[in-house]
Amino acid sequence: PLHSDLVQYRRKPQLQVLHCIAQSTSGGDSTFADGLAATERLRATHPQDYALLSGEDTVFVDRGVDECGRFELRHHAPVIE
């Protein structure tokens, strides 16, 4: 399924670079979507849904444990900014 990376960060990177460390002979397929085109289509075809997703804050949370210990990152923002 499609997802968005790093939504729990207040300052998101403007660029993400993906690289392959070891190529597999099968699997590993990636699917990308044009989020801006999807947003424009949503605005044109479902303006009330667009208004909700761009006007109401959602809480984005990432919590876990890493080498520094437990962490919890929270960011409040609309789904569409």
Side-chain angles (χ1 to χ4, degrees):
L2 295 173
H3 69 278
S4 295
D5 288 332
L6 307 174
V7 294
Q8 71 279 7
Y9 285 97
R10 190 167 291 128
R11 290 184 170 164
K12 295 160 192 60
Q14 298 298 306
L15 173 71
Q16 275 188 288
V17 178
L18 305 175
H19 68 281
C20 177
I21 295 172
Q23 186 173 352
S24 175
T25 57
S26 64
D29 295 340
S30 296
T31 302
F32 293 89
D34 184 340
L36 293 175
T39 298
E40 289 305 316
R41 184 172 180 184
L42 180 68
R43 184 191 333 234
T45 59
H46 300 279
Q48 289 179 316
D49 295 332
Y50 175 86
L52 176 67
L53 293 172
S54 63
E56 298 290 327
D57 275 4
T58 300
V59 181
F60 299 97
V61 179
D62 181 24
R63 58 173 73 101
V65 178
D66 64 12
E67 63 277 356
C68 296
R70 293 183 182 272
F71 66 87
E72 180 170 307
L73 301 172
R74 290 177 171 262
H75 179 55
H76 298 252
V79 173
I80 299 172
E81 290 188 281

